[in-house]
Amino acid sequence: MSGLLNREIKLVEGSNIAVIGGGPSGSFFTYYALEFASRLDLNISIDIYEAKNFNKIGAGGCNHCGGIISESLVQKLSTDGIIIPTEIIQRSINTYTMHVENGDAVIQTPSKEHRIASVFRGCGPKGCLDTSQRSFDNYLLDLCKEKGAQVILEKITELERCDDGIIVKSKKSVNKKYDLVVGGVGLNKKALKMFEQVCTQFVPPKLTRTYISEFYLGRDQVDEYFGGSMHVFLLNLPQVTFGALIPKDDYVTLVLLGKDIDKEIVENFITSEQVKGCFPKHMILRDSAPCKCYPFINVKGAVQPYDHNIVLIGDSASSKLYKNGIGAAYITGRAAAKTAVFEGICKKSFQNSYKKVCRDLDKDNRVGKLIFLVTRIIQRSSLLKKAVLNSVLREQRATNTKKLMSSALWDTFTGSASYRNILRRFFHPLLLFNLIRGIFSKPQIIDQSHLKNKQKNLGHIYKNGEVIIKQGTSGNCLFVIQEGKVEVINEHNGDDIKLAELGETEFFGEMGLFEKDVRSCTVKALGVVRVLTIDKKNFYESIQNDASLAYRLLEKMSNRLRDANKMINV
Ligand SMILES: Cc1cc2nc3c(=O)[nH]c(=O)nc-3n(C[C@H](O)[C@H](O)[C@H](O)COP(=O)(O)OP(=O)(O)OC[C@H]3O[C@@H](n4cnc5c(N)ncnc54)[C@H](O)[C@@H]3O)c2cc1C
C-alpha cells in the first residue's frame, strides 16, 4: 500500500471526482475543475453530494452566514464571466455606517460604485412568504450543472480508502469509487471526522460560536432605515469583536462575531442604544426572531487538508478570519481545482502548490488577529473611538483629501484587502496625524443620510448615450458589462467611427491596464447599461491565479485589432 501511495497520480480521460458539500467551496472547485479540464480537452466527471436542499426556506436550506459577497469576489467572478443575477442579489451595498458609543459615521465606498452584494444563502429566513428562487448557493450549483456536473442531494456518511481511490458511501444508496474526493463540508464536525479517518495527518480547523438572526421589516422600511448601507458596531461589549446589520430585500440580518457568543451577549448587543437606534422606534428588539442560529466560524485553519486522492477546501481547510469566507472558499476551491487538473491528485501535488494558498490565508489571519486586538483596544477607549470617528467624519466631509482612515476601515469591514495590506496602511503618517488631531477636535455632526441610497444591482448604471470612457483621457481600470450594451467609437478628425458593439459579460478599457497612456476609444452606453469597474489590483490578482485569463484578454485584443484593421482597409 505504501508503495502505491508514493506514486504520482494524475487525472486522466474518464477520471471521476466526488465533491462532498455543495456550498460555495464545493461549487467553485467543481466549476473551475470542469473549466480547466475542458481547456485541456480532458474528459472528467464530477458528482456533488449535498445534504441540504437550498430551495427550502429556513435553516434546512441555509448555510448560516451574513450573506455579504465582497467587492473583491464580485470583481473576480465578473472577470471570469460570472455575473450574479439580479434575482439573487437582495441588496447592493455602497456605504458602511460605523457606530461607536460617541456617534456614527457613514463611510462611502472608495469606488463610488455598488460592488458589494447581500444575498440569502438559502431560499430565505424561516417564516418568510417569498418563495422565489433566490438562493446564492443554489445559483452556484446551477452554474456547476451547466458545466456538466451532477448534483446529488444526499448526505455522505462514510469514506473508505481502497488501492486506487476512495469509496464514498451514504446510508441510503451511494456506494461508489472515485479517483479524487473533495471535502467542502464546511465546519460540520461529523463530516470532518469522516475525513480524518482517510486523511492521515489532517487536523480540522479551530472554531468558535457566533450568532445570526433575521429581522423582518418589509421592503419600504429597509429602504428607509438602511438603504444600501451595512451597519457595523464597534461597541465596548465583552466578547464581541464585531457586530453588523446587513440589509436584504425585506429583512435585516444581524451578525455577531466574537468569542463563544451566547444568549446574554446577544441580549446586551440588541438592547444597546446604538443598535436600537437603527430600527424604527416602535420596533422592540429581542432575541426572539423566528430565524436565528449560533453557527461556528473558522478561527484557525486546518493542518494538512490533503492526502493522496483527497483534498479539503473552504471552511474545512482555511478561511479568512471573520471576513469574506465565501471569497476564501473561492480562493481555496479554485486553487485545489488548478492543482488537481494541472498537477495531480497525490499528496505531493497538493503539498507543492495547494498548501501555499492555505498557508498564505493562515499567515494573513495572524495579522488579522493583531488588527482585531487593536480594534478591541479602540473599542474599550472612548478617547480612541472619538479620534477614529472624528477622522472619518473629517475625511468624508472633505472633497480633495486622501481618505486614508476611511479606506483602511472600508477594507477591514468589507474584507476586500488582505490584513497585511490594511495593517501597513494604518501606519501611514498622515493617518496617524489625523487620528491624533481627532482626539482634540470637537465631534462633527453632519447629515449623511442621503448617502444611504438604494440600488438592487451591482455596478454603475449609465443612461443611453452617456460616455463611460472618453478617448484621450487617462484611466487604469477595466470594465465588465453586467447588463445592456455599449458602443466603441474612435474619434478621428472630427468623425465618429463605430468600431464595435459589446454586450453582457464582455469587457472594455483593457488597454488602460497595460499602458500608462490615454484611452484609445470612447465607449458610450447604447440604451441603459450597467457596468462594473474592475480595479487594476484585482485584475492582476486574477491573472496571477489563472494565466489563461491573460490569454483570453490577448485573444480579445487581437480580435479587436483585426476588426479595426479590416474597417480601416474597407
Ligand atoms: C456568523 C457568520 C457570518 C458570516 N458572514 C459571512 C459573510 O457575510 N460573507 C462571507 O463571505 N462569509 C461569511 N461567513 C463565512 C461563510 O459562511 C463561510 O466561509 C462559507 O460558507 C464557507 O463555504 P464552504 O463551502 O466552505 O462551507 P459551507 O458553506 O458550510 O458549505 C458546506 C456544505 O457541505 C454540506 N455538507 C456537510 N456535510 C455533508 C455531508 N456529510 N454530505 C453532504 N453534504 C454535506 C453542507 O450541507 C453545506 O451545504 C460567515 C460565517 C458565519 C459563521
Side-chain angles (χ1 to χ4, degrees):
M1 185 81 170
S2 70
L4 275 175
L5 292 184
N6 279 334
R7 71 165 197 258
E8 285 221 331
I9 326 168
K10 301 233 181 231
L11 290 175
V12 292
E13 191 66 16
S15 288
N16 67 353
I17 302 176
V19 174
I20 306 185
S25 62
S27 288
F28 287 132
F29 173 90
T30 307
Y31 183 89
Y32 288 105
L34 290 170
E35 169 75 24
F36 297 148
S38 83
R39 285 184 206 165
L40 297 179
D41 280 331
L42 179 68
N43 205 3
I44 56 169
S45 66
I46 303 189
D47 293 338
I48 305 178
Y49 292 100
E50 172 51 55
K52 285 180 182 160
N53 178 353
F54 300 129
N55 284 328
K56 270 192 182 166
I57 281 172
C62 174
N63 280 324
H64 321 283
C65 163
I68 286 288
I69 310 300
S70 73
E71 55 184 352
S72 59
L73 181 58
V74 164
Q75 290 181 77
K76 283 190 177 107
L77 292 177
S78 242
T79 15
D80 291 346
I82 301 174
I83 290 172
I84 308 171
T86 310
E87 58 274 20
I88 302 296
I89 299 171
Q90 297 305 305
R91 206 158 276 258
S92 68
I93 307 287
N94 70 333
T95 62
Y96 269 54
T97 308
M98 180 183 73
H99 297 265
V100 292
E101 281 87 350
N102 327 37
D104 49 63
V106 182
I107 304 174
Q108 262 187 298
T109 153
S111 69
K112 306 253 180 325
E113 192 173 294
H114 290 247
R115 289 201 301 205
I116 297 176
S118 73
V119 299
F120 284 128
R121 300 287 300 273
C123 208
K126 185 176 170 189
C128 78
L129 299 173
D130 185 350
T131 54
S132 54
Q133 298 308 312
R134 50 181 175 165
S135 156
F136 178 72
D137 288 23
N138 222 11
Y139 160 67
L140 293 181
L141 280 181
D142 283 346
L143 287 180
C144 297
K145 281 192 216 163
E146 279 167 28
K147 282 235 173 260
Q150 219 200 137
V151 177
I152 302 152
L153 293 187
E154 212 159 326
K155 183 177 175 178
I156 297 305
T157 47
E158 201 185 327
L159 299 175
E160 190 186 310
R161 190 174 280 283
C162 61
D163 277 355
D164 53 350
I166 309 279
I167 302 167
V168 170
K169 295 180 187 174
S170 77
K171 286 215 167 100
K172 275 198 217 155
S173 57
V174 184
N175 190 335
K176 188 171 171 184
K177 197 198 90 187
Y178 289 92
D179 299 299
L180 172 67
V181 170
V182 180
V185 292
L187 301 174
N188 183 304
K189 285 188 179 169
K190 272 193 188 159
L192 289 170
K193 264 233 134 25
M194 179 171 80
F195 275 91
E196 276 181 276
Q197 312 290 323
V198 281
C199 206
T200 44
Q201 283 159 307
F202 169 61
V203 180
K206 288 216 166 77
L207 325 174
T208 191
R209 209 173 267 288
T210 63
Y211 175 80
I212 305 179
S213 63
E214 306 279 355
F215 292 98
Y216 178 78
L217 261 80
R219 191 171 302 150
D220 290 347
Q221 288 207 332
V222 179
D223 282 353
E224 186 184 341
Y225 286 86
F226 292 86
S229 197
M230 170 154 163
H231 290 242
V232 292
F233 299 84
L234 300 179
L235 306 177
N236 185 17
L237 291 172
Q239 284 170 255
V240 177
T241 306
F242 185 78
L245 293 171
I246 302 159
K248 305 273 167 78
D249 181 26
D250 43 4
Y251 277 82
V252 172
T253 306
L254 186 155
V255 170
L256 259 187
L257 304 179
K259 196 169 176 299
D260 298 325
I261 302 294
D262 62 19
K263 212 169 161 30
E264 195 185 330
I265 300 170
V266 174
E267 280 297 342
N268 287 340
F269 182 76
I270 56 182
T271 53
S272 69
E273 288 308 313
Q274 290 73 24
V275 176
K276 280 196 300 188
C278 296
F279 287 90
K281 280 208 168 56
H282 61 83
M283 200 163 158
I284 299 162
L285 289 182
R286 272 199 218 102
D287 180 26
S288 56
C291 197
K292 62 176 175 183
C293 57
Y294 288 85
F296 286 111
I297 202 163
N298 179 329
V299 286
K300 190 165 184 252
V303 177
Q304 212 146 313
Y306 48 81
D307 205 330
H308 296 283
N309 311 85
I310 288 196
V311 63
L312 288 110
I313 52 174
D315 274 6
S316 310
S318 286
S319 190
K320 187 171 163 102
L321 183 68
Y322 293 143
K323 299 278 150 201
N324 195 13
I326 301 172
Y330 168 93
I331 291 170
T332 53
R334 198 181 205 279
K338 199 172 144 193
T339 307
V341 174
F342 295 116
E343 289 170 47
I345 53 172
C346 61
K347 187 172 174 181
K348 201 168 142 204
S349 303
F350 291 119
Q351 203 150 21
N352 285 348
S353 75
Y354 177 63
K355 182 181 175 183
K356 185 184 172 306
V357 174
C358 297
R359 207 181 43 207
D360 278 356
L361 278 168
D362 295 339
K363 263 202 218 160
D364 196 50
N365 284 342
R366 271 179 241 140
V367 181
K369 276 194 181 138
L370 188 70
I371 292 180
F372 285 112
L373 191 76
V374 175
T375 315
R376 191 83 207 110
I377 295 168
I378 296 173
Q379 277 168 305
R380 285 184 185 159
S381 156
S382 54
L383 208 63
L384 286 174
K385 274 191 278 200
K386 180 186 162 198
V388 172
L389 187 71
N390 282 345
S391 64
V392 170
L393 285 169
R394 181 187 291 274
E395 283 178 359
Q396 293 295 315
R397 219 179 37 239
T399 44
N400 273 336
T401 51
K402 277 192 175 169
K403 298 187 175 12
L404 297 170
M405 175 64 90
S406 304
S407 81
L409 285 175
W410 175 266
D411 284 337
T412 312
F413 296 150
T414 60
S416 286
S418 70
Y419 285 125
R420 272 168 284 199
N421 174 294
I422 294 168
L423 188 70
R424 227 176 292 130
R425 281 150 56 194
F426 272 121
F427 285 109
H428 193 289
L430 188 60
L431 182 148
L432 295 172
F433 172 74
N434 285 340
L435 198 63
I436 295 167
R437 190 158 64 162
I439 297 179
F440 301 104
S441 52
K442 284 209 171 111
Q444 308 280 330
I445 296 167
I446 47 173
D447 180 19
Q448 293 177 288
S449 52
H450 62 286
L451 297 175
K452 296 184 202 170
N453 69 352
K454 46 187 191 283
Q455 177 186 316
K456 196 164 181 238
N457 293 318
L458 299 176
H460 187 89
I461 297 169
Y462 295 88
K463 287 188 265 175
N464 184 26
E466 206 174 333
V467 174
I468 304 168
I469 57 176
K470 174 91 184 125
Q471 186 174 327
T473 58
S474 61
N476 64 355
C477 43
L478 176 82
F479 299 87
V480 181
I481 303 169
Q482 309 284 295
E483 197 176 15
K485 280 187 174 172
V486 300
E487 57 179 345
V488 184
I489 296 163
N490 187 260
E491 297 167 14
H492 186 70
N493 290 340
D495 288 333
D496 281 358
I497 306 162
K498 182 166 166 174
L499 297 179
E501 262 183 34
L502 306 174
E504 210 167 293
T505 75
E506 291 200 271
F507 48 78
F508 57 89
E510 65 276 10
M511 305 278 255
L513 293 171
F514 298 105
E515 310 165 345
K516 277 209 177 94
D517 206 353
V518 291
R519 300 283 191 197
S520 57
C521 294
T522 291
V523 179
K524 277 185 189 171
L526 255 185
V528 177
V529 63
R530 193 159 52 81
V531 173
L532 191 94
T533 314
I534 313 289
D535 303 328
K536 202 170 186 165
K537 181 180 137 281
N538 246 299
F539 179 74
Y540 285 138
E541 259 176 37
S542 298
I543 283 204
Q544 250 181 14
N545 290 334
D546 176 14
S548 59
L549 178 63
Y551 175 79
R552 247 189 336 135
L553 199 72
L554 285 174
E555 193 180 43
K556 197 106 215 156
M557 285 165 86
S558 95
N559 284 344
R560 283 183 192 164
L561 210 61
R562 192 174 308 126
D563 290 347
N565 277 340
K566 262 191 216 156
M567 290 187 86
I568 291 164
N569 293 331
V570 163

